[in-house]
Amino acid sequence: MDLMQTVKVDLGERSYNIFIGEGILSAAGDLLKAVGISGKVAVVTNPTVAQLYLDPVHDALQSCGFEVTPVLIPDGEEYKTLATLSTIFDRLISERFERKSCVVSLGGGVVGDVAGFAAATYLRGTPFVQIPTTLLAQVDSSVGGKTGVNHSRGKNLIGAFYQPRAVIIDVTLLSSLPRRELVAGMAEVIKYGIIEDPALFGQLEEKLDRLLALDRRILTEVVATSCAIKARVIEKDEREDDHRAVLNFGHTVGHALEAATNYQRFLHGEAVAIGMAKAAAIAYQQGFCDTMTMGRIIKLIKMAGLSTEIPEGVSTQSLIQGMEVDKKSADGKIKFVICTGIGHTCFHSLTAEQIGDALGT
Ligand SMILES: NC(=O)c1ccc[n+]([C@@H]2O[C@H](COP(=O)([O-])OP(=O)(O)OC[C@H]3O[C@@H](n4cnc5c(N)ncnc54)[C@H](O)[C@@H]3O)[C@@H](O)[C@H]2O)c1
Ligand SMILES: [Zn+2]
């Protein structure tokens, strides 16, 4: 195992460490022991990820004395449901999992969200550890404690805030990730640079090619920086009462685009990339940032191979509708995240129509 970086998420008694490094999957057993976990461990994963990484995780845990139960759920967002959750409970109950037994998620954001919600609710809460395997999960969904499932009427409508005991991020796992998933995850990394960190943004402008070529040293550094940025935001506002909303930069339009295209056309990060480009354009139009800031944002998104334009055929009206069902403040306006310069943001209340009008111009 090479060098490992540690990012602490400081949430009082719910504090935990995120371990990031190359090849640290083999240390999973030691890391679980180090956070006080013992006995039974359910590794929740899907067939795609199991085929690639279940054996090494199984061995790493078993060699440290853990009793491992693999729990497979089907692959895909459409299985992020109460029905899938129920199958996990069935296994935990039939395997006689106790309150101190542990649930480990091994997979992308879907597995992490479902497994996390299972851990949050089984016997009113069992220890939970995330082993994220997509870039999106490594820099975003595994950090911050949001867990849950979808309902037929909307995404993530059922869930809980539940922090893991540890997050184990092995960047070498990204080598098997389809390129499209990798690039989509990069949108969230770019977002962190825009909202909080000019140095990260500069590093991406310089080294994006090497990052996308999976240079492990740079990847470890950038994933650790991204986790640290999200951790600092969460520490200020764990339950999204206020400041955490800064993480929604690019997501107002991004979510609307996903909804307007029935969640079929775009990966989340692809829609967010367009949303970020449009948010930058709106910030410029409204006098919040200069043309140079907008230009750098749009250029970096394009460099990643992501689109910055709303595709033809998606009407402004359908986007306005999508934004209206998204989170709103009490006055019916949307708390739109504006970038005032690289690394700086403010909130600006806008109606869905105002955002739609700005998109149309
Ligand atoms: N909890 C949060 O804070 C939070 C934040 C953002 C997104 N999310 C959720 O995350 C989900 C999206 O996560 P995602 O983008 O990771 O998608 P995903 O979990 O569907 O994974 C994408 C695909 O990659 C496969 N895969 C995973 N790791 C792989 C690897 N190393 N090699 C090869 N294939 C691999 C998966 O099996 C899947 O087919 C959504 O449900 C979203 O709501 C949650
Ligand atoms: Zn996102």
Side-chain angles (χ1 to χ4, degrees):
M1 184 177 69
D2 285 327
L3 222 61
M4 183 169 79
Q5 297 208 26
T6 304
V7 172
K8 183 171 182 195
V9 186
D10 195 349
L11 293 168
E13 61 183 14
R14 280 169 286 104
S15 296
Y16 57 97
N17 283 323
I18 305 168
F19 303 102
I20 308 118
E22 307 176 33
I24 69 168
L25 201 60
S26 59
D30 294 316
L31 292 170
L32 256 68
K33 273 213 282 204
V35 296
I37 293 166
S38 61
K40 292 184 176 173
V41 176
V43 179
V44 181
T45 187
N46 70 33
T48 313
V49 179
Q51 197 194 1
L52 293 160
Y53 305 115
L54 182 57
D55 284 349
V57 170
H58 194 286
D59 293 351
L61 296 176
Q62 206 169 40
S63 66
C64 285
F66 292 101
E67 198 186 314
V68 184
T69 302
V71 179
L72 267 79
I73 63 172
D75 187 0
E77 179 76 30
E78 64 272 36
Y79 298 104
K80 195 173 132 178
T81 58
L82 282 173
T84 299
L85 188 70
S86 191
T87 65
I88 299 175
F89 292 144
D90 291 346
R91 281 299 299 284
L92 298 179
I93 292 165
S94 64
E95 299 288 337
R96 298 179 188 280
F97 267 62
E98 296 162 358
R99 195 182 248 174
K100 67 172 185 42
S101 309
C102 177
V103 174
V104 170
S105 68
L106 174 69
V110 169
V111 168
D113 281 11
V114 184
F117 190 41
T121 47
Y122 182 69
L123 301 178
R124 300 192 182 83
T126 57
F128 174 48
V129 171
Q130 294 252 26
I131 307 183
T133 63
T134 64
L135 182 59
L136 179 121
Q138 295 192 344
V139 299
D140 188 358
S141 63
S142 68
V143 180
K146 282 190 181 175
T147 70
V149 295
N150 300 327
H151 185 272
S152 57
R153 301 282 296 276
K155 297 224 337 153
N156 300 319
L157 291 183
I158 304 155
F161 284 97
Y162 192 66
Q163 301 295 344
R165 290 283 183 90
V167 182
I168 301 170
I169 300 181
D170 188 337
V171 296
T172 58
L173 308 193
L174 300 181
S175 57
S176 55
L177 195 64
R179 170 94 182 176
R180 189 177 169 201
E181 297 282 352
L182 181 75
V183 168
M186 205 56 79
E188 303 286 355
V189 176
I190 294 172
K191 177 189 81 179
Y192 291 127
I194 298 171
I195 61 172
E196 293 279 337
D197 193 339
L200 171 64
F201 193 92
Q203 195 181 15
L204 294 173
E205 287 178 318
E206 225 180 281
K207 300 177 184 164
L208 195 62
D209 284 353
R210 279 157 70 193
L211 207 53
L212 287 170
L214 300 177
D215 177 315
R216 289 171 180 183
R217 196 183 54 77
I218 301 172
L219 206 49
T220 302
E221 217 177 287
V222 164
V223 170
T225 304
S226 299
C227 290
I229 292 170
K230 184 158 183 188
R232 299 299 86 84
V233 172
I234 271 100
E235 286 165 359
K236 280 191 214 157
D237 176 21
E238 188 181 357
R239 300 178 70 91
E240 198 168 331
D241 296 319
D242 177 29
H243 181 66
R244 186 168 177 163
V246 70
L247 297 170
N248 290 336
F249 178 73
H251 282 59
T252 306
V253 173
H255 283 153
L257 255 177
E258 288 183 279
T261 51
N262 292 321
Y263 299 93
Q264 299 297 318
R265 179 161 181 172
F266 296 107
L267 294 178
H268 173 70
E270 294 170 340
V272 167
I274 297 170
M276 292 195 296
K278 292 301 167 194
I282 291 172
Y284 172 65
Q285 273 171 31
Q286 308 227 346
F288 287 102
C289 77
D290 55 22
T291 166
M292 163 111 158
T293 301
M294 175 181 71
R296 283 178 72 192
I297 291 173
I298 291 173
K299 188 171 171 204
L300 184 59
I301 295 169
K302 284 184 176 162
M303 267 170 63
L306 289 157
S307 171
T308 56
E309 293 298 334
I310 292 163
E312 275 182 38
V314 177
S315 71
T316 304
Q317 200 48 45
S318 67
L319 294 175
I320 292 173
Q321 268 168 16
M323 285 185 270
E324 271 164 352
V325 295
D326 212 4
K327 282 162 211 150
K328 277 191 207 169
S329 59
D331 59 0
K333 289 190 172 177
I334 292 164
K335 194 171 168 182
F336 196 75
V337 188
I338 292 274
C339 166
T340 53
I342 302 298
H344 301 278
T345 54
C346 68
F347 294 120
H348 186 50
S349 283
L350 291 169
T351 62
E353 284 78 15
Q354 284 171 321
I355 300 168
D357 286 349
L359 291 174
T361 53

